[in-house]
Amino acid sequence: MAQKIKLTRPELKRRRDRLARFERYLPMLKLKQQQLQMTLRELAAQVRRAQEELDATAARLGRYRSVLADRAGVPLQLWSRPERIRTSHRNVAGVEVPVFEDVEFPAVRYSLFGTPPWVDQALADWRQQSRQQAAVDVLREGETLLQRELSRVIQRVNLFEKIMIPQDREAIRRIRIKLGDEMAAAVGRAKIAKGKLAKVLDQSPQDAADAEAWEASL
C-alpha cells in the first residue's frame, strides 16, 4: 500500500529532520556492523583452534578407555567436572561478550600407593579436556551473542537504507513539487491581479481611487 503523505510545510520539516537523523545514524550502524563481522571472524578462528586442542586431548584420553573400568574406586569423571567456570567480559560494539578465564575443580584425595600409576595422568587429562570444553563453550556463547546482535544491526541497516531513507526522500520530493506548484499558482494570481489593477488605474481618478481601495482590500 502506497504511503500517504501530507503535502504541507510542517510535514516537509518533519521529513527533513527525520531524514537527517537517519543519514547521520546509518554510518554508525554500518561501522558497528563491520566491527561485529570482524570480531565474529576472529572468534570463529579461536573456536576452530580450541576445538582442535579439545579433539587432541580426547584422542589422548582414548588410551585410558581400556583401563577406566579398573580404576580402584577413583571417581575420575566426577573429579574432572568443573565446580565453577570463571569468566570476565569485554565490550564489543556495545555487546558484553564473555571471556574464558579458568576452571575450578573439586579437591581430590586418593592414595598414591593404592591406585594404579596412570590415575594421576588420567585425571590431569580429563581435567584438561573439561577446561578446553569450557573454553569452547564460552567462545561459542560469545559467537551466539554477537551473531544475534549482528542480525539485529543488519535488519536496521536494511530498514534505514532500503525503506526509511528512500521513503523520506520521495516524500520530500513530492512535497516540494506540491509547494512549488502552489507558489507558482500564487504568483500567477498575483500577476493577474496586478494586471487588472493597472488597467483600472488608467481610468478616471474616481475609478483609480476605487481601484486603490480594491487593491488595499486584497
PDB file of all heavy atoms in Angstrom, residues 21-34:
ATOM      1  N   ARG A  21      18.403  12.637  10.639  1.00  0.00           N
ATOM      2  CA  ARG A  21      18.755  11.691  11.710  1.00  0.00           C
ATOM      3  C   ARG A  21      19.148  10.336  11.133  1.00  0.00           C
ATOM      4  O   ARG A  21      20.137   9.722  11.562  1.00  0.00           O
ATOM      5  CB  ARG A  21      17.585  11.538  12.681  1.00  0.00           C
ATOM      6  CG  ARG A  21      17.319  12.737  13.557  1.00  0.00           C
ATOM      7  CD  ARG A  21      16.438  12.369  14.747  1.00  0.00           C
ATOM      8  NE  ARG A  21      15.171  11.796  14.331  1.00  0.00           N
ATOM      9  CZ  ARG A  21      14.077  12.497  14.067  1.00  0.00           C
ATOM     10  NH1 ARG A  21      14.126  13.831  14.135  1.00  0.00           N
ATOM     11  NH2 ARG A  21      12.940  11.909  13.729  1.00  0.00           N
ATOM     12  N   PHE A  22      18.360   9.842  10.184  1.00  0.00           N
ATOM     13  CA  PHE A  22      18.662   8.545   9.571  1.00  0.00           C
ATOM     14  C   PHE A  22      20.027   8.562   8.887  1.00  0.00           C
ATOM     15  O   PHE A  22      20.819   7.625   9.034  1.00  0.00           O
ATOM     16  CB  PHE A  22      17.588   8.180   8.543  1.00  0.00           C
ATOM     17  CG  PHE A  22      16.250   7.826   9.148  1.00  0.00           C
ATOM     18  CD1 PHE A  22      15.090   7.890   8.391  1.00  0.00           C
ATOM     19  CD2 PHE A  22      16.153   7.426  10.474  1.00  0.00           C
ATOM     20  CE1 PHE A  22      13.858   7.556   8.937  1.00  0.00           C
ATOM     21  CE2 PHE A  22      14.925   7.106  11.032  1.00  0.00           C
ATOM     22  CZ  PHE A  22      13.779   7.171  10.265  1.00  0.00           C
ATOM     23  N   GLU A  23      20.301   9.621   8.132  1.00  0.00           N
ATOM     24  CA  GLU A  23      21.568   9.696   7.393  1.00  0.00           C
ATOM     25  C   GLU A  23      22.761   9.889   8.329  1.00  0.00           C
ATOM     26  O   GLU A  23      23.884   9.520   7.982  1.00  0.00           O
ATOM     27  CB  GLU A  23      21.497  10.834   6.368  1.00  0.00           C
ATOM     28  CG  GLU A  23      20.527  10.539   5.229  1.00  0.00           C
ATOM     29  CD  GLU A  23      20.461  11.659   4.213  1.00  0.00           C
ATOM     30  OE1 GLU A  23      20.736  12.820   4.603  1.00  0.00           O
ATOM     31  OE2 GLU A  23      20.112  11.385   3.044  1.00  0.00           O
ATOM     32  N   ARG A  24      22.521  10.449   9.502  1.00  0.00           N
ATOM     33  CA  ARG A  24      23.595  10.590  10.488  1.00  0.00           C
ATOM     34  C   ARG A  24      23.830   9.274  11.226  1.00  0.00           C
ATOM     35  O   ARG A  24      24.967   8.922  11.574  1.00  0.00           O
ATOM     36  CB  ARG A  24      23.227  11.703  11.473  1.00  0.00           C
ATOM     37  CG  ARG A  24      24.322  12.015  12.492  1.00  0.00           C
ATOM     38  CD  ARG A  24      23.993  13.257  13.277  1.00  0.00           C
ATOM     39  NE  ARG A  24      22.740  13.162  14.002  1.00  0.00           N
ATOM     40  CZ  ARG A  24      21.630  13.823  13.695  1.00  0.00           C
ATOM     41  NH1 ARG A  24      21.608  14.630  12.655  1.00  0.00           N
ATOM     42  NH2 ARG A  24      20.531  13.684  14.416  1.00  0.00           N
ATOM     43  N   TYR A  25      22.754   8.519  11.464  1.00  0.00           N
ATOM     44  CA  TYR A  25      22.833   7.287  12.242  1.00  0.00           C
ATOM     45  C   TYR A  25      23.289   6.091  11.399  1.00  0.00           C
ATOM     46  O   TYR A  25      23.944   5.187  11.908  1.00  0.00           O
ATOM     47  CB  TYR A  25      21.457   7.000  12.851  1.00  0.00           C
ATOM     48  CG  TYR A  25      21.433   5.905  13.882  1.00  0.00           C
ATOM     49  CD1 TYR A  25      22.462   5.765  14.810  1.00  0.00           C
ATOM     50  CD2 TYR A  25      20.367   4.996  13.941  1.00  0.00           C
ATOM     51  CE1 TYR A  25      22.434   4.757  15.758  1.00  0.00           C
ATOM     52  CE2 TYR A  25      20.345   3.990  14.886  1.00  0.00           C
ATOM     53  CZ  TYR A  25      21.372   3.874  15.789  1.00  0.00           C
ATOM     54  OH  TYR A  25      21.358   2.881  16.722  1.00  0.00           O
ATOM     55  N   LEU A  26      22.963   6.094  10.105  1.00  0.00           N
ATOM     56  CA  LEU A  26      23.279   4.952   9.249  1.00  0.00           C
ATOM     57  C   LEU A  26      24.776   4.643   9.198  1.00  0.00           C
ATOM     58  O   LEU A  26      25.155   3.459   9.318  1.00  0.00           O
ATOM     59  CB  LEU A  26      22.727   5.198   7.836  1.00  0.00           C
ATOM     60  CG  LEU A  26      22.936   4.058   6.828  1.00  0.00           C
ATOM     61  CD1 LEU A  26      22.300   2.773   7.318  1.00  0.00           C
ATOM     62  CD2 LEU A  26      22.385   4.450   5.469  1.00  0.00           C
ATOM     63  N   PRO A  27      25.675   5.617   9.032  1.00  0.00           N
ATOM     64  CA  PRO A  27      27.111   5.283   9.034  1.00  0.00           C
ATOM     65  C   PRO A  27      27.572   4.642  10.334  1.00  0.00           C
ATOM     66  O   PRO A  27      28.440   3.761  10.327  1.00  0.00           O
ATOM     67  CB  PRO A  27      27.788   6.640   8.805  1.00  0.00           C
ATOM     68  CG  PRO A  27      26.759   7.463   8.124  1.00  0.00           C
ATOM     69  CD  PRO A  27      25.446   7.040   8.712  1.00  0.00           C
ATOM     70  N   MET A  28      27.009   5.075  11.464  1.00  0.00           N
ATOM     71  CA  MET A  28      27.380   4.474  12.746  1.00  0.00           C
ATOM     72  C   MET A  28      26.923   3.011  12.812  1.00  0.00           C
ATOM     73  O   MET A  28      27.629   2.147  13.330  1.00  0.00           O
ATOM     74  CB  MET A  28      26.782   5.276  13.905  1.00  0.00           C
ATOM     75  CG  MET A  28      27.378   6.661  14.050  1.00  0.00           C
ATOM     76  SD  MET A  28      26.834   7.535  15.536  1.00  0.00           S
ATOM     77  CE  MET A  28      25.137   7.921  15.111  1.00  0.00           C
ATOM     78  N   LEU A  29      25.731   2.749  12.283  1.00  0.00           N
ATOM     79  CA  LEU A  29      25.244   1.369  12.238  1.00  0.00           C
ATOM     80  C   LEU A  29      26.130   0.504  11.351  1.00  0.00           C
ATOM     81  O   LEU A  29      26.442  -0.642  11.700  1.00  0.00           O
ATOM     82  CB  LEU A  29      23.808   1.335  11.708  1.00  0.00           C
ATOM     83  CG  LEU A  29      22.673   1.544  12.708  1.00  0.00           C
ATOM     84  CD1 LEU A  29      21.340   1.495  11.982  1.00  0.00           C
ATOM     85  CD2 LEU A  29      22.700   0.525  13.831  1.00  0.00           C
ATOM     86  N   LYS A  30      26.547   1.044  10.223  1.00  0.00           N
ATOM     87  CA  LYS A  30      27.406   0.279   9.321  1.00  0.00           C
ATOM     88  C   LYS A  30      28.772   0.010   9.953  1.00  0.00           C
ATOM     89  O   LYS A  30      29.352  -1.074   9.768  1.00  0.00           O
ATOM     90  CB  LYS A  30      27.571   1.020   7.996  1.00  0.00           C
ATOM     91  CG  LYS A  30      26.328   0.985   7.130  1.00  0.00           C
ATOM     92  CD  LYS A  30      26.596   1.608   5.761  1.00  0.00           C
ATOM     93  CE  LYS A  30      25.416   1.403   4.829  1.00  0.00           C
ATOM     94  NZ  LYS A  30      25.652   1.983   3.487  1.00  0.00           N
ATOM     95  N   LEU A  31      29.284   0.986  10.703  1.00  0.00           N
ATOM     96  CA  LEU A  31      30.554   0.790  11.409  1.00  0.00           C
ATOM     97  C   LEU A  31      30.408  -0.318  12.454  1.00  0.00           C
ATOM     98  O   LEU A  31      31.286  -1.179  12.601  1.00  0.00           O
ATOM     99  CB  LEU A  31      31.001   2.095  12.065  1.00  0.00           C
ATOM    100  CG  LEU A  31      32.292   2.017  12.896  1.00  0.00           C
ATOM    101  CD1 LEU A  31      33.463   1.575  12.031  1.00  0.00           C
ATOM    102  CD2 LEU A  31      32.581   3.360  13.558  1.00  0.00           C
ATOM    103  N   LYS A  32      29.292  -0.294  13.178  1.00  0.00           N
ATOM    104  CA  LYS A  32      29.040  -1.348  14.165  1.00  0.00           C
ATOM    105  C   LYS A  32      28.931  -2.705  13.483  1.00  0.00           C
ATOM    106  O   LYS A  32      29.453  -3.710  13.998  1.00  0.00           O
ATOM    107  CB  LYS A  32      27.753  -1.030  14.935  1.00  0.00           C
ATOM    108  CG  LYS A  32      27.433  -2.037  16.032  1.00  0.00           C
ATOM    109  CD  LYS A  32      26.239  -1.577  16.859  1.00  0.00           C
ATOM    110  CE  LYS A  32      25.975  -2.548  18.003  1.00  0.00           C
ATOM    111  NZ  LYS A  32      24.863  -2.108  18.877  1.00  0.00           N
ATOM    112  N   GLN A  33      28.287  -2.746  12.333  1.00  0.00           N
ATOM    113  CA  GLN A  33      28.169  -3.996  11.583  1.00  0.00           C
ATOM    114  C   GLN A  33      29.552  -4.533  11.205  1.00  0.00           C
ATOM    115  O   GLN A  33      29.828  -5.729  11.348  1.00  0.00           O
ATOM    116  CB  GLN A  33      27.332  -3.763  10.322  1.00  0.00           C
ATOM    117  CG  GLN A  33      27.182  -4.983   9.432  1.00  0.00           C
ATOM    118  CD  GLN A  33      26.362  -4.691   8.187  1.00  0.00           C
ATOM    119  OE1 GLN A  33      25.612  -3.722   8.129  1.00  0.00           O
ATOM    120  NE2 GLN A  33      26.506  -5.511   7.174  1.00  0.00           N
ATOM    121  N   GLN A  34      30.443  -3.655  10.757  1.00  0.00           N
ATOM    122  CA  GLN A  34      31.796  -4.069  10.392  1.00  0.00           C
ATOM    123  C   GLN A  34      32.564  -4.590  11.602  1.00  0.00           C
ATOM    124  O   GLN A  34      33.286  -5.596  11.508  1.00  0.00           O
ATOM    125  CB  GLN A  34      32.539  -2.896   9.753  1.00  0.00           C
ATOM    126  CG  GLN A  34      31.982  -2.480   8.392  1.00  0.00           C
ATOM    127  CD  GLN A  34      32.622  -1.194   7.882  1.00  0.00           C
ATOM    128  OE1 GLN A  34      33.465  -0.591   8.559  1.00  0.00           O
ATOM    129  NE2 GLN A  34      32.214  -0.762   6.706  1.00  0.00           N
TER     130      GLN A  34
END
